[in-house]
Amino acid sequence: TPPAASSPASVVSIFTGPPSPTLADLTLVATNDEEPGGDSSLSLVEFTPDGGTTYYVQVGNYVYVNVPSGSFTLSWTGL
């Protein structure tokens, strides 16, 4: 169910699309952006997946002065 990413200024997005899609082929399903200065650096996305659908997960972070970039932790839990 919810994929979550934890890193400074993290953002996580879920898309659907065909195999080997271009950016134009992707359809946004859900996204969460926790900006610096928020309550935490955790971005949590909840959605109900459909069987037989291909999903793409994008995880990233912002690069600001004094906000480190680098590794992240991605967690995924199922029903």
Side-chain angles (χ1 to χ4, degrees):
T1 297
S6 178
S7 77
S10 64
V11 59
V12 62
S13 301
I14 308 298
F15 298 89
T16 59
S20 302
T22 66
L23 288 177
D25 295 330
L26 296 175
T27 300
L28 182 64
V29 174
T31 192
N32 183 272
D33 173 12
E34 181 57 53
E35 300 234 6
D39 292 338
S40 74
S41 61
L42 178 68
S43 293
L44 176 68
V45 175
E46 294 184 88
F47 73 103
T48 303
D50 292 324
T53 300
T54 300
Y55 292 93
Y56 299 92
V57 179
Q58 179 270 332
V59 177
N61 66 349
Y62 294 99
V63 178
Y64 292 111
V65 174
N66 299 324
V67 177
S69 62
S71 65
F72 62 88
T73 301
L74 179 65
S75 303
W76 192 288
T77 58
L79 298 175

